[in-house]
Amino acid sequence: MTKNVGGIDRGLRIAAGLVLLSLVFVGPQTPWGWIGLVPLFTGFIGWCPAYLPFGIKTCKTS
């Protein structure tokens, strides 16, 4: 599994994931906030399966 998510992309994914996940516990307390686990997980591991079919890489390393 080659990393395909770069530094800025990873930071944005982690931030967006935390914001979405917080919706489960504060604010509207909607279960839709659990969708935040997806960007959070892909941000932490540095690999996004949705990038594969399109050949997208936002990281500098191969």
Side-chain angles (χ1 to χ4, degrees):
M1 181 166 57
T2 305
K3 292 190 185 277
N4 61 4
V5 178
I8 294 173
D9 194 3
R10 288 178 80 172
L12 291 173
R13 286 171 183 264
I14 291 170
L18 290 173
V19 167
L20 287 170
L21 199 56
S22 71
L23 294 177
V24 175
F25 305 104
V26 295
Q29 297 180 344
T30 176
W32 283 101
W34 289 110
I35 198 77
L37 289 175
V38 174
L40 189 64
F41 182 70
T42 59
F44 278 130
I45 65 170
W47 181 74
C48 178
Y51 279 2
L52 287 179
F54 303 107
I56 299 172
K57 283 188 175 183
T58 59
C59 61
K60 295 179 182 176
T61 60
S62 56

